[in-house]
Amino acid sequence: MHTFLIRLIAIIGILALSSCTNYYNPLDDYDQLEPSTILAAPPAAETDYPAEQVSRGKYLVGLLGCGSCHTDGALVGAPVPGRALAGSYTGIAYSNPMAQSRPGVLYPSNLTPDNATGIGTRSLPDLVRMIRLGVNEHGSQTIPVMPWPAYANIEPDDAQAIAVYLKSLPPVNHKVLANITPGQRSTAPFVHFGVYQSKQ
Ligand code: HEC
């Protein structure tokens, strides 16, 4: 179900409408890019956490498709080797590019435990709160582009296993682009999910 949703987001997001129309179509300002595939969860490094908990976390991260957003090239183009779960340059627009030519865009974070660019300094309870409640490091709730409402019913033990698995990944130093507020220009590709109806 989730895989389907991600595919739908990717397909709708890059949909370029035909340019042979008489009215102004904001999507004429965008190039169409090739969608990519869902990415499997990468293996964890050696870790002190219980092996069973780490493998449960890996299973859940693969099942829930975290890598499809949080990996360079996994939404558009081809997954970049060595960058699994290390954040993505493909953003996700949260305002409507058909109404606003410069929408707000969020970039999926680096989920590997790199101290400078990833989740290295985040505690396990912090990560669990983000996954289940969307509460970020500043204590405020994030826009549900990161689909935390869909993860809200994950059992606490399972959310903990996900956090432990992420903490056990080999750290990848990869800085994700800063989020874009509406009106700013995005220099990187983005996808957008919306529900539309013809005006006529
Ligand atoms: C539809 C795309 C998408 C999917 C699927 C997704 N995320 Fe995210 N995630 C995001 C975005 C975008 C952000 C950045 C949010 C922001 O900047 O407000 C984010 C942020 C996060 C953060 C915060 C990192 C930090 O440094 O604060 C964590 C942790 C996280 N996601 C974990 C997960 C996990 C675990 C899964 C799978 C269970 C997952 N995400 C699935 C899009 C996604």
Side-chain angles (χ1 to χ4, degrees):
M1 208 305 249
H2 205 73
T3 302
F4 171 74
L5 182 63
I6 298 301
R7 291 236 166 94
L8 193 66
I9 292 173
I11 289 163
I12 293 180
I14 61 166
L15 190 73
L17 295 179
S18 159
S19 53
C20 52
T21 46
N22 292 328
Y23 56 88
Y24 172 68
N25 175 3
L27 291 189
D28 288 346
D29 294 340
Y30 298 97
D31 284 330
Q32 182 172 9
L33 301 175
E34 277 300 311
S36 186
T37 50
I38 303 294
L39 199 70
E46 262 191 46
T47 167
D48 291 338
Y49 292 113
E52 207 177 301
Q53 198 179 24
V54 174
S55 76
R56 176 83 184 155
K58 178 174 185 288
Y59 164 76
L60 289 166
V61 165
L63 182 73
L64 297 168
C66 315
S68 52
C69 284
H70 282 276
T71 300
D72 265 344
L75 274 177
V76 173
V80 178
R83 291 268 187 83
L85 293 172
S88 177
Y89 58 65
T90 306
I92 302 173
Y94 60 88
S95 57
N96 180 355
M98 291 173 82
Q100 187 174 34
S101 68
R102 294 181 174 188
V105 180
L106 298 182
Y107 293 95
S109 325
N110 179 349
L111 299 184
T112 73
D114 183 60
N115 282 339
T117 62
I119 53 139
T121 58
R122 312 291 302 278
S123 68
L124 292 177
D126 268 2
L127 294 173
V128 168
R129 256 195 307 278
M130 177 68 194
I131 295 163
R132 296 181 76 231
L133 306 170
V135 173
N136 66 18
E137 77 242 73
H138 310 297
S140 49
Q141 208 156 38
T142 57
I143 303 171
V145 165
M146 153 70 195
W148 55 264
Y151 303 147
N153 289 331
I154 292 177
E155 295 290 340
D157 281 357
D158 282 343
Q160 179 83 1
I162 291 174
V164 159
Y165 162 71
L166 295 178
K167 283 290 212 179
S168 308
L169 288 169
V172 179
N173 185 274
H174 179 234
K175 195 165 166 47
V176 168
L177 294 171
N179 290 338
I180 302 280
T181 49
Q184 251 186 302
R185 186 181 174 76
S186 157
T187 52
F190 59 82
V191 298
H192 175 252
F193 175 72
V195 180
Y196 302 99
Q197 184 174 22
S198 165
K199 284 180 190 152
Q200 286 152 24

